């Protein structure tokens, strides 16, 4: 009876069928009044029309009006820009098409999970009489739509069930589109995150040679912010030159070749400092190109330093070998012609150059040991004034023309240090004073107590060390000036070894300017705790000594 009632209601809701039935009945009545046979024909037409209407109402297919509603729902879903908007449209159209009190749509797996409820909030979509359909994205389940039971308590008709099926099917294309959009957006965000966090500078250039993108690393390297770079001609914001000074921008831009290229180039970076970049230019499929720039300034500096060190060591090795080779050739070719005095002189020069070569090799080996294993330090209590006097006397005998002044504070007694390393540091500073000061100029050495440390200072009257180089000269292989033109020899290891030695013994070493000009090098060594015992004078100023060991401490004295 309920199904029959639905069919009758469906016929009554269709105005076309109502008018057609009314006209047919009127014609049947008029025909019966004129001729009974015409009345029978009219009655047959009415019955046929009723059968047609009944079949249409029986739900053999969706009606035109319902199909139009589904079409409108499909258009609304197609225009949805987000899964939440699609869920809202789906819920509202389900309520309108089925006459349901409420509907709930759940979409998951496409971006964030979305749950939308429309209609009467009191209507449950989980009770008896409710209906649910699964939603899919290209065959993969991704949610559901559920409508609450009808408010009149009756079941949904077969036609309404088919309408719900059609509505769920039509939303699948929208969900697939939104899924693709979500994947593209996720990939775009991933690429953007990579570009933002990359330590390499990355920028893209269009076919019109205008910068399209400029990541933060590129802004940091060049000092040009993205807001200023994007939209500007590439050559205005990135003007590199190669190692030979040739332009690599404008007409010579490697990106314009259409082929991948990698080059080492130089630019003026942020703050105007010189930056060396390893850049790769790669063409883009849609035209233009992308540039990835890695800041290799430090690597280039290390390579240049390495090349310079090789050239410097090669020069320093050839310098003593040249006279040795020459004198050996002389002895081989003219030995019978040489006098005893001449041979003696040749042997002296060869011995001196051999010692110089041996010293160079020893310095190289010691520097290698420091880098690999560190210095082996054997600390003990040392009579520091005695060691200072010994080193000064050695210098005086090696160069009698130089005046070496020495002042040892009477309060200086002993230090806790490695005897060989401490004496080597003082010997190196004295040697530097001789090499870098004018011939005949004096060298002064001062030793005094400063708290828990003994301070030793060597002063010369040479050109001094520029303020910007006073820390750098303690680095390995660092020498001021050009190795081919400077008169002093060496590879720049003496002060590096001196600093390593002093620091290993718990002291500090530094360089500053002496009053009145010249360089002043000083270093500290941990002092042993003093006592009142005083030893007799040696051949220098009196100094106090102690036999009690004390714990060495670091000092911040500079």
């Amino acid at each position: 009876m309920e199904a029959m009632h639905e069919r009758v209601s469906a016929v009554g809701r269709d105005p076309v069928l109502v008018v057609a039935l009314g006209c047919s009945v009127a014609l049947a009545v008029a025909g019966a009044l004129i001729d009974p046979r015409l009345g029978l024909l009219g009655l047959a037409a009415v019955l046929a029309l009723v059968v047609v209407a009944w079949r249409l109402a029986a739900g053999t297919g969706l009606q035109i009006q319902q199909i139009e509603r589904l079409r409108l729902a499909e258009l609304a879903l197609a225009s949805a820009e987000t899964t939440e908007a699609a869920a809202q449209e789906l819920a509202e159209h389900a309520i309108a098409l089925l006459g349901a009190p409420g509907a709930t749509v759940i979409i998951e797996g496409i971006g964030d999970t979305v749950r939308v409820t429309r209609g009467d909030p009191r209507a449950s979509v989980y009770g008896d009489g409710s209906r649910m359909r699964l939603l899919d994205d290209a065959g993969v389940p991704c949610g559901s739509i559920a409508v609450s039971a009808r408010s009149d308590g009756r079941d949904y008709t077969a036609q309404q069930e088919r309408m719900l099926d059609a509505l769920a099917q039509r939303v699948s294309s929208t969900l697939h589109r939104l899924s693709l959009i979500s994947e593209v957006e996720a990939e775009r965000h991933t690429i953007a995150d990579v570009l933002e966090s990359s330590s390499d500078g990355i920028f893209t250039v269009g076919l019109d040679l205008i910068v399209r993108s400029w990541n933060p690393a590129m802004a940091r390297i060049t000092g040009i912010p993205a807001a200023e770079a994007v939209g500007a001609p590439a050559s205005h914001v990135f003007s590199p030159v190669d190692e030979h000074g040739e332009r690599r921008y404008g007409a010579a831009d490697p990106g314009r070749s259409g082929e991948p290229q990698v080059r080492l180039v130089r630019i003026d970076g942020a703050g105007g400092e010189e930056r060396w970049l390893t850049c790769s230019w790669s063409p883009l499929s849609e035209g233009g190109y992308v540039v990835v720039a890695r800041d290799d300034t430090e690597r280039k500096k290390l390579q240049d330093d390495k090349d310079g060190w090789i050239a410097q060591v090669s020069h320093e090795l050839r310098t003593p070998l040249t006279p040795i080779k020459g004198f050996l050739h002389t002895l081989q070719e003219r030995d019978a012609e040489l006098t005893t005095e001449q041979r003696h002189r040749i042997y002296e020069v060869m011995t001196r150059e051999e010692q110089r070569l041996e010293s160079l090799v020893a310095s190289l080996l010691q520097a290698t040991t420091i880098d690999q294993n560190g210095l082996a330090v054997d600390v003990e209590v040392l009579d520091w004034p005695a060691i200072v006097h010994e080193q000064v006397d050695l210098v005086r005998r090696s160069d009698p023309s130089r005046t070496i002044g020495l002042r040892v504070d009477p309060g200086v007694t002993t230090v806790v240090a490695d005897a060989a390393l401490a004496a080597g540091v003082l010997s190196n500073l004295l040697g530097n004073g001789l090499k870098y000061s004018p011939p005949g100029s004096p060298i002064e050495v001062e030793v005094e107590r400063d708290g828990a440390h003994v301070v030793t200072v060597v002063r010369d009257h040479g050109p001094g060390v520029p303020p910007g180089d006073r820390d750098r000269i303690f680095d390995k292989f660092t020498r001021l000036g050009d190795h081919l033109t400077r008169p002093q020899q060496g590879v720049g290891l003496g002060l590096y070894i001196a600093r390593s030695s002093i620091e290993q013994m718990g002291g500090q070493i530094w360089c500053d300017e002496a009053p009145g000009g010249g360089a002043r090098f000083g270093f500290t060594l941990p002092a042993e705790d003093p006592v009142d015992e005083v030893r007799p004078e040696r051949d220098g100023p009196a100094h106090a000594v102690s036999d009690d060991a004390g714990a060495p401490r670091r000092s911040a004295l500079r």
Side-chain angles (χ1 to χ4, degrees), residues 233-254:
S235 60
H236 289 188
V237 293
F238 190 65
S239 307
V241 297
D242 62 19
E243 293 180 279
H244 307 292
E246 299 291 333
R247 291 184 178 183
R248 292 302 168 193
Y249 60 94
D253 190 335

Side-chain angles (χ1 to χ4, degrees), residues 358-377 418 420-425 428 476-477 491 493-502 504-505:
E358 183 180 5
S359 176
L360 174 60
V361 173
S363 296
L364 290 171
L365 292 175
Q366 191 172 7
T368 303
T369 301
I370 292 173
D371 292 339
Q372 293 179 349
N373 307 312
L375 286 172
V377 179
D418 184 295
L421 294 181
V425 171
N428 178 267
K476 186 168 57 175
F477 303 125
V491 293
L493 289 175
L495 290 178
Y496 169 73
I497 295 172
R499 182 182 63 179
S500 300
S501 301
I502 291 297
Q504 284 288 91
M505 292 184 290

Side-chain angles (χ1 to χ4, degrees), residues 24-63:
S24 298
V25 171
L27 289 173
V29 173
L33 293 176
I34 298 174
D35 188 333
R37 290 175 295 180
L38 293 175
L40 291 175
L41 291 173
L43 182 59
V46 170
L47 292 174
L49 189 58
V50 169
V51 170
V52 172
W54 188 266
R55 287 181 177 178
L56 287 173
T60 55
L62 296 178
Q63 298 183 29

Side-chain angles (χ1 to χ4, degrees), residues 132-136 141-146 164-165 168-169 171-172 175:
M132 185 188 74
R133 296 292 185 273
L134 293 177
L135 306 178
D136 67 86
C142 63
S144 63
I145 175 173
L164 187 59
D165 289 336
Q169 292 171 359
V171 79
S172 64
L175 295 179

Side-chain angles (χ1 to χ4, degrees), residues 325-343:
K325 181 179 178 182
F327 282 129
L328 285 174
H329 181 74
T330 300
L331 290 173
Q332 185 179 22
E333 297 294 329
R334 300 174 51 203
D335 181 62
E337 303 174 13
L338 298 176
T339 65
T340 303
E341 184 179 352
Q342 289 174 328
R343 287 195 191 92

